Amino acid sequence: MTSQRNISEFILLGLSYDQSIQIFCFVIFLLCYVALLAGNLLILISIRCSPLFHQPMYYFLIHLSLIDICYTSTVTPKLIGDLLVERKTISYDNCMLQVFTMHFFGGIEIFILTAMAFDRYAAICKPLHYVIIMNRTRCNLLVLAAWAGGAIHAFPLFSTAIGLPFCGPNEIDHYFCDIFPLLKVACTDTYITGVLVIAFSGMVALVTFIVLSVSYGIILFTLRNLSAEGRRKALSTCWSHITVVILFFGPVIFIYLRSPTTFPEDKIFALFYTIIAPMFNPLIYTLRNSEMKKAMRKVWCPSVFSKEA
């Protein structure tokens, strides 16, 4: 612990050294963050104040929106603020906290997406038993399991990070604290540690992605037995879920399922799962969802909705 405390803060090198690019990124990411907060809060409030809250798919969507807000808020406000300053620093304690919260909320998001895939599987492949399978007690247990899974995923990585000795240099070539950039500046041989991180973090993402891919493959195969209208409605929902899964898991697998090192491109890929995917989730889930759009009009424009009705 003494060697760890030889460094009280880390210097984040950020996305770019060019001041004009940093100002441009500040404007873009500020707009993205505001859109992300507004979109996810809109979904959260609209579902909570409508009968959709009692449907399992939208119950999980509320939790996904909440986690998206928490997940991106562990990184994005710091990134936006750092784009306006020349020297970007983060204290040792805040860095370790960022490692934990990133993987905690990221892990919850992975398991919430898995629960949503299970819900779609039950709805399309077991329609007669759907109400029994996806009762509210089971939905609550799935959400609780997602939070527990996030904690189980985050604590070993946090323990790994907090156990690393840091004695210089203290420059992290990233815009937030993550396990691989920290391994790069640790003053010890981190090869075995890196392999363990890949085995634990990368494999969790890969296995989950494979499970989700197989489940959606089964769902799409089952759709051939539905009517044209039923197939259209189910496809609309499933493609939304599949798009979210690809946007989130693609970059995560690229970064965490390879040799324990860092590349400049990692910062670009990290933007996808820290900002871009959470920002697009509200749009993806509402653009082609007539029930969601109807609920939003009913909650936010009741007079207009009553005239349409």
Side-chain angles (χ1 to χ4, degrees):
M1 292 298 293
T2 304
S3 62
Q4 290 174 352
R5 292 301 177 182
N6 286 345
I7 288 179
S8 60
E9 66 178 17
F10 294 98
I11 298 172
L12 301 172
L13 300 184
L15 291 171
S16 173
Y17 296 104
D18 191 306
Q19 187 63 32
S20 59
I21 293 178
Q22 290 192 61
I23 296 298
F24 174 76
C25 289
F26 169 79
V27 174
I28 294 298
F29 293 143
L30 180 60
L31 292 174
C32 288
Y33 187 56
V34 171
L36 184 153
L37 292 178
N40 281 291
L41 284 172
L42 186 65
I43 282 183
L44 201 155
I45 296 171
S46 297
I47 294 175
R48 189 63 187 87
C49 297
S50 74
L52 293 181
F53 178 69
H54 301 289
Q55 296 185 31
M57 184 180 81
Y58 298 101
Y59 179 70
F60 291 131
L61 185 53
I62 271 190
H63 288 278
L64 181 65
S65 293
L66 176 63
I67 294 304
D68 276 339
I69 292 172
C70 297
Y71 179 58
T72 196
S73 294
T74 64
V75 171
T76 308
K78 171 68 174 167
L79 167 62
I80 293 171
D82 282 347
L83 289 168
L84 296 178
V85 299
E86 184 176 349
R87 191 170 185 268
K88 306 164 180 56
T89 62
I90 184 170
S91 69
Y92 175 87
D93 292 338
N94 286 339
C95 182
M96 296 300 112
L97 179 63
Q98 199 172 63
V99 170
F100 175 75
T101 53
M102 272 289 297
H103 288 280
F104 176 57
F105 291 119
I108 295 173
E109 177 137 354
I110 286 175
F111 296 118
I112 289 290
L113 289 172
T114 305
M116 294 176 78
F118 177 70
D119 170 70
R120 289 301 85 200
Y121 169 81
I124 295 171
C125 300
K126 307 286 184 180
L128 299 179
H129 302 92
Y130 177 68
V131 176
I132 298 173
I133 295 172
M134 297 305 297
N135 57 63
R136 184 44 61 97
T137 300
R138 181 159 292 163
C139 290
N140 289 333
L141 287 174
L142 286 172
V143 170
L144 183 62
W147 282 80
I152 292 170
H153 171 71
F155 271 111
L157 297 172
F158 173 70
S159 300
T160 298
I162 209 168
L164 293 171
F166 299 104
C167 47
N170 66 337
E171 290 186 342
I172 298 177
D173 188 16
H174 216 303
Y175 61 89
F176 67 91
C177 286
D178 201 5
I179 190 70
F180 280 166
L182 286 172
L183 290 179
K184 192 173 182 180
V185 298
C187 50
T188 185
D189 183 7
T190 59
Y191 179 77
I192 300 299
T193 305
V195 172
L196 292 175
V197 171
I198 292 170
F200 186 77
S201 189
M203 289 305 297
V204 166
L206 180 62
V207 170
T208 307
F209 180 71
I210 291 173
V211 169
L212 290 174
S213 299
V214 171
S215 65
Y216 281 118
I218 295 172
I219 290 171
L220 293 175
F221 182 75
T222 306
L223 289 179
R224 77 191 195 284
N225 299 321
L226 300 181
S227 64
E229 178 61 23
R231 189 159 53 242
R232 184 197 62 77
K233 186 177 179 181
L235 275 174
S236 177
T237 302
C238 287
W239 282 124
S240 299
H241 290 213
I242 292 169
T243 303
V244 170
V245 167
I246 293 173
L247 272 176
F248 184 81
F249 280 93
V252 168
I253 290 172
F254 173 81
I255 289 177
Y256 292 104
L257 198 65
R258 61 160 199 245
S259 58
T261 185
T262 58
F263 298 105
E265 295 80 11
D266 289 355
K267 291 182 278 189
I268 304 301
F269 278 94
L271 289 173
F272 277 90
Y273 60 82
T274 57
I275 300 175
I276 295 174
M279 180 185 68
F280 276 107
N281 280 359
L283 186 63
I284 291 169
Y285 281 112
T286 58
L287 194 60
R288 300 177 62 186
N289 191 319
S290 59
E291 287 185 329
M292 192 67 226
K293 288 188 284 188
K294 182 179 178 181
M296 290 170 67
R297 285 198 301 269
K298 188 175 181 180
V299 171
W300 300 102
C301 306
S303 58
V304 176
F305 178 81
S306 60
K307 290 179 182 178
E308 290 178 355

